[in-house]
Amino acid sequence: MNKPERSNCIDFIEFPAADVAGLNQAKAFYQIVFNWSYKDWGDDYSDTQSSGVSSGINADPGHRPSCPLAVIYTPDLEMVREKVIEAKGVITREIFSFPGGRRFHFQDPSGNELAVWSDK
């Protein structure tokens, strides 16, 4: 799933859910209001391609964001991680794998948290 046309662009927005019940309520809400359809990735994560910019709802207490999280795509995760550090960003979650790829989280110098992902 190489996305060269989207490299270094916001590719995904992830919304937190307090728990699985909250995830299911959020999915139902967006399905009713906007007619978005979801794909489940286990009990605590769902995503959709029907929201314009792709989006997901995360109820995994191990890595759900505390607020909506913009996710940027890159084909070279390690290079972007190094650039974040060189530019005085702070890595808040080291590179980890998930179904479909790998990602890491960082804070920019103003304290905004974002993530970068790659399918490689």
Side-chain angles (χ1 to χ4, degrees):
M1 176 193 309
N2 194 348
K3 298 183 177 190
E5 74 284 355
R6 298 184 98 158
S7 293
N8 301 319
C9 293
I10 293 174
D11 185 61
F12 197 83
I13 302 291
E14 188 169 274
F15 300 100
D19 52 29
V20 173
L23 179 146
N24 290 327
Q25 290 169 344
K27 280 181 9 186
F29 173 84
Y30 291 115
Q31 287 169 331
I32 290 167
V33 176
F34 300 110
N35 201 31
W36 295 352
S37 59
Y38 284 87
K39 178 175 182 178
D40 293 330
W41 298 92
D43 293 333
D44 56 13
Y45 198 94
S46 293
D47 70 10
T48 181
Q49 302 290 311
S50 58
S51 61
V53 171
S54 298
S55 65
I57 304 171
N58 187 346
D60 179 350
H63 81 211
R64 76 173 166 257
S66 60
C67 57
L69 180 72
V71 184
I72 301 164
Y73 174 80
T74 183
D76 191 338
L77 200 60
E78 286 76 9
M79 179 197 62
V80 172
R81 182 188 175 282
E82 292 307 312
K83 284 182 157 184
V84 164
I85 294 167
E86 289 170 12
K88 308 294 187 232
V90 176
I91 304 299
T92 58
R93 179 133 195 235
E94 288 294 342
I95 295 172
F96 64 95
S97 296
F98 64 92
R102 301 177 306 136
R103 78 182 197 193
F104 71 91
H105 297 199
F106 70 94
Q107 283 185 335
D108 69 17
S110 293
N112 297 300
E113 186 168 14
L114 292 90
V116 180
W117 86 281
S118 181
D119 52 358
K120 299 179 185 325

